[in-house]
Amino acid sequence: ILVNSMLVFLERGVNQVTVQDLLDAAGISRRTFYKYFRNKVDVLESLYKLAVDIMVVSYKASVGNARTVGEVADCMPGVFFDYHHDLAPVIRMMQEEAIRTDSPLAPYRKAAMRTVAGVVNEEIRRITGRSIDPLIIHSLLWGMEGMSIEFLRGDADSVNDIAHARKVVSGIAEAALHKAVNDSSRE
């Protein structure tokens, strides 16, 4: 159901999809659908949660191997942009939906940002023995999210543009994280 519904949401848009569209795409009965989902929003939420879980696992695997704050900073845009590139059409559709404050996905987006920020902060604590203000990590994630939306809309001219953006964001992240760690040691 989820795999087939993803394609329907991509083709028709979140607001235009009906439960019948999802039934037809999956080739299932209404009874089978309602055995697993309450409505189309429930399907969309399940898709988003799955995508977020995959991203969190990727962050944990990548950042968990870092030995320095600089490596953590380098991992952040690497995981974010690679993940968004690999699942581009799906991520764009869900990201544009989740960023709207009235969207049913908005609370999941907020929770995902908290989770990823927690993962990054945990690794910084492991490396340095210090925690930093989560708002710093959130700000970096929001910036990457904005860039990703622009890239997914086709505003990056080439692979080189994305590589350049990754390098710039990595530098910003490294400066911000190092400053935050140093500031936390003075408190």
Side-chain angles (χ1 to χ4, degrees):
I1 297 172
L2 290 177
V3 169
N4 290 303
S5 66
M6 187 171 25
L7 299 173
V8 175
F9 282 119
L10 284 171
E11 289 172 4
R12 302 211 41 190
V14 173
N15 294 329
Q16 301 303 316
V17 172
T18 66
V19 170
Q20 188 61 51
D21 295 330
L22 301 177
L23 298 175
D24 293 344
I28 59 168
S29 69
R30 192 169 289 277
R31 181 178 176 159
T32 299
F33 177 87
Y34 286 114
K35 180 177 178 182
Y36 300 102
F37 301 102
R38 294 182 309 269
N39 52 39
K40 75 174 187 178
V41 172
D42 195 24
V43 174
L44 188 62
E45 288 171 352
S46 295
L47 281 170
Y48 190 77
K49 286 187 237 179
L50 181 61
V52 166
D53 288 347
I54 292 168
M55 186 174 69
V56 169
V57 167
S58 296
Y59 263 103
K60 285 181 179 180
S62 182
V63 177
N65 293 323
R67 295 178 313 246
T68 66
V69 172
E71 287 179 7
V72 170
D74 195 44
C75 289
M76 288 180 68
V79 170
F80 200 89
F81 291 134
D82 286 349
Y83 174 76
H84 285 215
H85 178 268
D86 293 345
L87 300 171
V90 177
I91 296 299
R92 178 180 176 200
M93 180 264 304
M94 288 192 293
Q95 210 172 21
E96 287 179 344
E97 176 66 23
I99 209 161
R100 287 189 10 255
T101 55
D102 64 338
S103 168
L105 299 183
Y108 298 107
R109 175 184 165 267
K110 193 173 186 178
M113 292 290 188
R114 271 194 316 271
T115 300
V116 171
V119 167
V120 171
N121 211 353
E122 184 179 306
E123 294 307 318
I124 290 172
R125 188 177 320 111
R126 175 185 58 81
I127 293 165
T128 68
R130 297 181 185 99
S131 293
I132 64 171
D133 184 342
L135 186 56
I136 294 165
I137 301 167
H138 281 275
S139 297
L140 293 168
L141 293 170
W142 294 326
M144 289 186 294
E145 181 180 58
M147 290 177 87
S148 180
I149 288 171
E150 294 303 312
F151 291 160
L152 294 173
R153 288 182 179 152
D155 291 344
D157 292 329
S158 69
V159 173
N160 290 336
D161 289 342
I162 295 171
H164 178 69
R166 182 182 293 175
K167 184 176 179 182
V168 168
V169 172
S170 181
I172 293 168
E174 185 170 2
L177 296 178
H178 274 299
K179 182 172 180 351
V181 168
N182 290 336
D183 289 351
S184 72
S185 68
R186 292 186 195 124
E187 293 175 354

